[in-house]
Amino acid sequence: MNMLALRCQGDLIVIDAGILFPGHELLGVDVIVPDLTWLVDHEDELRALILSHGHEDHVGAVPYVLSELNPPVYATAFTEALVRRKFDDHELEEEPDIRRMVPGEKFQLGCFTIEPIRVTHSTVDCVALAIETPLGVIIHTADFKIDQTPIDGKLFDLQKFAEYGQRGVLLLLSDSTNVDRSGFTPSERTVYPAFEDIFSRAENAIFVTCFSSSTHRVQQLIDLSVEFGRKVSLIGRSLTSASELAHDLGLLRIPDGVMVRPQDLSRIPKDQQLVIVSGSQGEPMSSMSRAAVGTHRHAVIDEDDIVVLSARVIPGNEKAIYRMVDHLCRRKADVRYGSQNPPLHVSGHASQEELKLILNLVRPKYFVPVHGEYRQLSQHARLAAPLRDNGLEETFILTDGESLVIDEFGARKGSEEIPVGRVLIDMGTGDEILEEMVIRDRRHISEFGVIIPIVAIDRRTGEIESGPEIISRGYVLSEDGELSLDAARRVVEKTVEGSSREEVADLGLMEEKIRTDLRRYFSRKTSRQSRPLIVPVILET
Amino acid sequence: MNMLALRCQGDLIVIDAGILFPGHELLGVDVIVPDLTWLVDHEDELRALILSHGHEDHVGAVPYVLSELNPPVYATAFTEALVRRKFDDHELEEEPDIRRMVPGEKFQLGCFTIEPIRVTHSTVDCVALAIETPLGVIIHTADFKIDQTPIDGKLFDLQKFAEYGQRGVLLLLSDSTNVDRSGFTPSERTVYPAFEDIFSRAENAIFVTCFSSSTHRVQQLIDLSVEFGRKVSLIGRSLTSASELAHDLGLLRIPDGVMVRPQDLSRIPKDQQLVIVSGSQGEPMSSMSRAAVGTHRHAVIDEDDIVVLSARVIPGNEKAIYRMVDHLCRRKADVRYGSQNPPLHVSGHASQEELKLILNLVRPKYFVPVHGEYRQLSQHARLAAPLRDNGLEETFILTDGESLVIDEFGARKGSEEIPVGRVLIDMGTGDEILEEMVIRDRRHISEFGVIIPIVAIDRRTGEIESGPEIISRGYVLSEDGELSLDAARRVVEKTVEGSSREEVADLGLMEEKIRTDLRRYFSRKTSRQSRPLIVPVILET
């Protein structure tokens, strides 16, 4: 859910607008987008939204931002194409104003001059940003690794970083994702030998699952297929879409006659198939998950077919991925997953030596590690500490909603508290935005169950006309015994009967009394950890 | 949730009775124990429950088994002590009959002769079992690694495995947990250098979190503390309890004067403290989690204190553990976690070379890989394939509930289907057993919310006396608009008004009609993925 705002002399620019995929604890939530309250309050100052690259955690919230605000959006060709495709699913009131960004070509936004700088990463057409301000230059690396031998031949622009470093940089913001890995991240090209080995030995179909936007990986698999006489089929909507866009822009080279449509796979001999399938994280409805349980029409995995999981395991997805691998093993597929040597996957993020290299090329006065959890930011800060001898004055760890103020007196954390809540989106109810309260209720019920005591009261006499009924869901109440429906009913009866006419006339008060008495009853009869959600209902007849 | 039954000529023995800790998808469930239906049906044949070692996934369900059945329980000294301690929390009708098992000392159970064989593992006093039957010898390794330099000096009994192998083994059951790791698992002793380095440099307190039963790890930390002049404190109930039991049995050597009670820590200088804390998996209420957020009375972590996570990350716990590490970083502790070289944690399970060594020592006729998910069992089966030249006739992958039948004609999968459901236990409601249905409801509500339409109907006229009221929890209904309370109320009204007197008199039918109509309404107004649980309530007045 990356989003960074820079403000200077009444000009405001925003870098990236990402989404977050929720964990298990956010029940029923499909995606999470940043809270835009502060941006909406500063709409008149907003000059642009600049996108560094096309990954969902950097561009996924663009449609949401453009439904609330209408700044021009700057993006490189591939990122622009990915974002435009998003608008097919969203209706916007105004046509979005998307402007092409080209590495090395500067542009002006109020008092900011922006130069996009080419970097390498796991997807194509990624840039860092050099931002000239009246106080000095700010460099934001965004996501990167330093791939010395990139698949598309487009080198990381080390010279530009050096040039800005030479001239002096006020502030560096740098990617912390892989700060806990020593050494250099291997080149994307490193996976070639392991796949070459598989292609040269395989006597059956080869299936590979990777991230949809891993265009470099797809390129290598296409190249190997050409070399070994296999046909390539892409399965999965986002994978097909991203690969088409890359191909249209000349970023993915596909020789004629190598691709086959998924529905034509059955006509190709198994030992001439290379099938790239989306769903590397074991997402329940993904093509790969369905293929693993044998319910995908076109991705048909047979005994001794090779299946390669060529993607990192995003923390939290382990169980889903392993469940998928289990299913593949039951089908007797030859599954390659986990760490292998030589590797079948390499990361797109810089390791410690690359991070130090950037720090030393840029030699900033101030440093803010970005993109990572607190432990990673603090490790990145520690990594930068030796630079103090070379001009680094201070490192700031900023958590969500914190700001850094730089003026002629130096840099310090801002005192303004920026609202940065999460906005939870439930696709199921049609882009409905869920309140945190709804989620809290769901979580509460999911842990302890819900109990609904219902009673109909005669509004004239104040007496129970019908009930009490007790409905419970997700909570164990028996027909008899200590923790029984009967006993709970009697608790409610006693509450109503022990109340005065005035109390009974006040429905809100009565509901609270019933809730309190029942809660006390349950916590006495069970342990303190059992706290069902209690929702009393009183009907007046 | 390990549990294996062997039956021969009307004699039945059971090896291990473990629990499973539920994942996020089993909401509110505390532990899962095996379904004992089949065992209860065969109670008259049951001769014993034999425990291989004291880990919860092997002994956690013993109290539950003994509340349903009363077989004698065989265990080594440490395992026995751990199990006995469990009964402090459980009331049993009969005193459990626990019998001491000593490696090398055979005992008879019906037609079975059992010999426990000493193995090494991450906890102490672990055994494999050699089981002589009228048809031949069965060897069950249980959990093991082959530690050539164990901390307690008690060697893995390779000779005994060789001896049985020499005589001929009918069936081997062997641990598959680490079958995806190449080479040998390093000795427990391997962590010593990394800890030695920490002890020799640390200028502040050292905190270590590990599994409670990792007695070898605790031993090494105590030894280092003595060497470097630190006092040791153990924090956490299960850790303290397991260490006391090990000490009482002479399995943990603690020199006089080295231990301090947690409440006395504050009197010891920080640079003389070594604090071992339970909660390596980031369990929310564990001592370590509380220390990480600064709410533990005795485990007080200050800036630059060293905190070592010396345990594996159990899949599914990543997020909780990383959240805990983030909190520790915020307190500016120096946190050591993840893979380090030299390692601060080594596994207790055998890697590929050790597994092959066991296969070659034992040379079984039949092989059943155990302890692992399907992908691990199938990888273990593949590892054993080359043994076919050396007498291995067949490998069987058995999933839960499957059986293997061996007789004079050979071995084959049994046709009998054994019920092996899970029994879900919610500690919150006092050892109440939850039905799968309760869990289904919780999960349903947690994803989609719940809607409770309530209406009071006059039983004489069949007319609505009060309501309909619509209560929703975890579901978004607005005051107005398409998906509103009002509209839902009108749906229910229409259902009731459009029903005949006979229909209204049948409450069950009316509830079903209301449920159906509301479900249709919601699926029309929202996408198909949104299916709140609908629980109609009709009160008769």
Side-chain angles (χ1 to χ4, degrees), chain A residues 238-439:
Chain A
S238 59
L239 175 71
T240 313
S241 163
S243 300
E244 276 173 11
L245 297 177
H247 182 235
D248 292 345
L249 292 166
L251 298 167
L252 185 66
R253 300 176 307 278
I254 308 178
D256 286 346
V258 68
M259 305 300 290
V260 295
R261 296 180 308 170
Q263 56 268 44
D264 296 333
L265 265 177
S266 56
R267 277 184 257 145
I268 312 279
K270 271 268 174 183
D271 63 353
Q272 291 169 30
Q273 294 183 12
L274 181 274
V275 191
I276 310 178
V277 190
S278 64
S280 65
Q281 300 303 302
E283 303 91 334
M285 292 309 294
S286 70
S287 302
M288 195 64 222
S289 285
R290 283 182 288 143
V293 294
T295 60
H296 197 287
R297 260 198 308 161
H298 306 307
V300 179
I301 297 172
D302 295 319
E303 189 167 341
D304 291 330
D305 282 350
I306 293 176
V307 182
V308 182
L309 274 62
S310 181
R312 83 177 180 117
V313 174
I314 295 179
N317 295 345
E318 292 80 5
K319 283 199 158 186
I321 293 173
Y322 291 146
R323 205 175 297 135
M324 183 170 80
V325 172
D326 280 343
H327 284 300
L328 290 166
C329 288
R330 274 179 232 270
R331 311 188 78 72
K332 300 189 194 299
D334 179 357
V335 192
R336 315 288 176 91
Y337 67 100
S339 57
Q340 310 249 348
N341 191 8
L344 287 162
H345 171 66
V346 293
S347 171
H349 294 274
S351 299
Q352 288 172 6
E353 294 307 315
E354 293 152 279
L355 297 174
K356 287 189 244 171
L357 181 57
I358 291 300
L359 281 160
N360 283 330
L361 277 172
V362 173
R363 292 200 196 166
K365 187 171 176 189
Y366 303 114
F367 174 47
V368 172
V370 292
H371 305 165
E373 301 293 327
Y374 196 92
R375 65 188 180 278
Q376 293 155 320
L377 304 181
S378 66
Q379 199 176 343
H380 205 173
R382 224 174 296 137
L383 201 73
L387 249 81
R388 291 193 171 253
D389 302 336
N390 286 293
L392 178 65
E393 286 191 8
E394 200 162 355
T395 297
F396 297 90
I397 297 181
L398 300 181
T399 55
D400 289 344
E402 287 191 318
S403 61
L404 187 72
V405 176
I406 310 182
D407 57 21
E408 63 272 35
F409 305 113
R412 64 204 163 277
K413 281 201 185 182
S415 53
E416 188 186 0
E417 207 170 306
I418 317 272
V420 286
R422 307 176 299 182
V423 177
L424 313 172
I425 297 193
D426 180 348
M427 303 290 197
T429 54
D431 280 18
E432 194 79 43
I433 292 169
L434 299 180
E435 306 289 332
E436 291 275 2
M437 212 184 77
V438 169
I439 302 298

Side-chain angles (χ1 to χ4, degrees), chain A residues 143-194:
Chain A
D143 285 6
F144 78 100
K145 71 195 269 189
I146 302 180
D147 193 333
Q148 308 285 3
T149 55
I151 296 299
D152 58 6
K154 291 177 177 161
L155 291 171
F156 187 104
D157 196 346
L158 291 164
Q159 285 80 359
K160 196 66 82 177
F161 279 85
E163 190 188 311
Y164 277 105
Q166 190 75 20
R167 283 166 46 196
V169 168
L170 179 69
L171 170 67
L172 171 69
L173 303 120
S174 181
D175 180 9
S176 313
T177 310
N178 272 0
V179 69
D180 51 4
R181 302 201 190 171
S182 58
F184 279 88
T185 302
S187 168
E188 169 64 25
R189 217 170 273 269
T190 316
V191 303
Y192 198 88

